[in-house]
Amino acid sequence: MSQETPMQPFAVDIDLASGAMADPDTVITRRASDMRGYYADADALERIIGEQHDPVHYEVFEKDIPEAPGHLRICVSKLYPGTVGRECFMTKGHYHTVSGTAEIYLCLQGRGFMLMKTKQGACLAERMVRNGMVYVPPHWAHRSVNTGEEPLVSFCVYPGEAGHNYGDIVEQGFPRRVYLQNGEEVIA
Ligand SMILES: [Fe+2]
């Protein structure tokens, strides 16, 4: 009777002050041009792409862990600070392909919000601040938003089989957006 060789254990060094992951297997880089269609002020985004030579918007650092039930995928998400017009920099956001899977975000640096929505139209924002943990329950799409002046960095854990589903987000966005108005955070 054959038996699959179990995956070997591993360790990874993550600097809990900066979120820097030593030796990530994969780095996903989203540039400003990858964010076309997501912000209210499309012209302001084009100015950033043109004038700042398409800067990196956010990065996700991952270890190779099987996308399969039983595993726990981990990543460090690093979202740079800034605004598009007055709208704060954000990630694209996603549902999980296996919708009934949750995720934990432990904020290591920066400040902002985790913006969450359901297909039924609910929309909530939870504060993200260093040492704060946000629990994203099953079925909630989630996007992080940086309202601060330094990168918003989080350590994330989610079930291996969860997957990413951008679903209706490109077309419909989230019901609420996060702005900076005279230095104040506004969720509207
Ligand atoms: Fe997720």
Side-chain angles (χ1 to χ4, degrees), residues 75 93-96 101-105 136 140-143 156-158 162-165:
C75 71
H94 59 266
Y95 293 94
H96 289 165
T101 52
E103 184 158 356
I104 283 167
Y105 280 75
V136 180
W140 288 79
H142 39 287
R143 111 175 339 157
C156 320
V157 186
Y158 57 97
H164 291 73
N165 167 21

Side-chain angles (χ1 to χ4, degrees), residues 20-171:
M21 180 191 285
D23 198 23
D25 293 318
T26 307
V27 181
I28 298 165
T29 301
R30 304 283 192 212
R31 293 186 173 275
S33 59
D34 296 315
M35 300 304 293
R36 287 187 171 116
Y38 287 90
Y39 289 100
D41 188 340
D43 293 341
L45 181 66
E46 290 306 321
R47 284 196 294 277
I48 290 172
I49 295 167
E51 292 167 11
Q52 298 176 33
H53 310 290
D54 199 11
V56 174
H57 212 68
Y58 62 95
E59 295 166 296
V60 183
F61 304 86
E62 296 180 335
K63 294 302 287 182
D64 282 344
I65 296 170
E67 294 183 274
H71 285 280
L72 291 171
R73 300 262 306 167
I74 61 161
C75 71
V76 171
S77 160
K78 183 175 190 179
L79 170 61
Y80 288 90
T83 57
V84 177
R86 287 198 309 251
E87 190 174 1
C88 297
F89 280 11
M90 61 191 181
T91 60
K92 291 184 176 184
H94 59 266
Y95 293 94
H96 289 165
T97 309
V98 178
S99 179
T101 52
E103 184 158 356
I104 283 167
Y105 280 75
L106 175 62
C107 182
L108 302 178
Q109 187 189 87
R111 63 183 290 112
F113 292 97
M114 180 62 71
L115 200 58
M116 292 167 279
K117 71 164 186 170
T118 64
K119 289 192 168 133
Q120 289 74 36
C123 185
L124 288 173
E126 283 290 341
R127 165 70 66 193
M128 292 183 82
V129 64
R130 176 171 165 72
N131 294 344
M133 192 209 82
V134 174
Y135 184 72
V136 180
H139 309 298
W140 288 79
H142 39 287
R143 111 175 339 157
S144 25
V145 184
N146 188 346
T147 61
E149 292 175 352
E150 57 181 352
L152 178 64
V153 182
S154 307
F155 174 71
C156 320
V157 186
Y158 57 97
E161 74 275 24
H164 291 73
N165 167 21
Y166 296 93
D168 60 4
I169 295 169
V170 184
E171 295 79 28

